[in-house]
């Protein structure tokens, strides 16, 4: 298969209904305090992975965890997965610090995330 390569899954976001309770559980599970701790997002770095907690699914309306593949060129990867049958759920956009994110759904409705750091 040709095209732009994906790196690896380094980020998984989890929608949570009670951020304080979830933060305590994930801190115990991961054995570290959150690196980012705000009312709209809590993020942990552990073992080369970023685990994020998103209250009430955030503005993207997450209803289940979403794994994000880190890619060198988000637009190229979006074009590839769309050509292969994916549907854009959330177009590529900047979420701060030059980080671009996008989500697509596979033919069964599973949500797949893409991240590009600039």
């Amino acid at each position: 298969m040709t095209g732009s390569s994906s790196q690896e899954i380094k980020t998984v976001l989890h929608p949570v209904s009670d951020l304080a309770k979830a933060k305590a559980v994930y801190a115990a599970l991961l054995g570290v305090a959150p690196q980012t701790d705000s009312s709209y997002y809590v993020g942990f770095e552990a073992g080369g992975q970023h685990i994020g907690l998103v209250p009430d699914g955030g503005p993207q309306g997450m209803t289940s965890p979403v794994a994000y593949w880190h890619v060198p060129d988000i637009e190229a990867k979006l074009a590839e997965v769309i050509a292969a049958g994916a549907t854009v759920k959330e177009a590529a956009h900047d979420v701060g610090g030059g980080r671009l994110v996008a989500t697509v759904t596979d033919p069964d409705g599973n949500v797949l995330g893409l991240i590009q750091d600039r």
Side-chain angles (χ1 to χ4, degrees):
M1 185 146 234
T2 61
S4 66
S5 66
S6 291
Q7 294 173 1
E8 57 201 353
I9 296 172
K10 295 182 189 176
T11 303
V12 179
L13 302 184
H14 299 267
V16 298
S17 60
D18 186 319
L19 190 59
K21 288 181 180 178
K23 179 172 45 172
V25 168
Y26 282 85
L29 174 68
L30 300 169
V32 297
Q35 180 185 34
T36 304
D37 192 350
S38 69
S39 62
Y40 59 88
Y41 186 81
V42 172
F44 297 87
E45 297 290 336
Q49 297 288 308
H50 181 81
I51 305 300
L53 307 178
V54 182
D56 300 317
Q60 60 272 52
M62 293 170 43
T63 58
S64 63
V66 176
Y68 283 80
W69 278 264
H70 288 242
V71 298
D73 184 339
I74 199 167
E75 293 297 342
K77 186 54 70 180
L78 275 171
E80 285 180 54
V81 297
I82 291 166
T87 303
V88 173
K89 179 172 175 32
E90 184 181 22
H93 63 283
D94 193 310
V95 294
R99 174 171 273 187
L100 300 174
V101 300
T103 55
V104 298
T105 55
D106 71 11
D108 292 305
N110 297 302
V111 179
L112 310 171
L114 302 172
I115 290 178
Q116 175 187 333
D117 288 317
R118 294 193 237 178

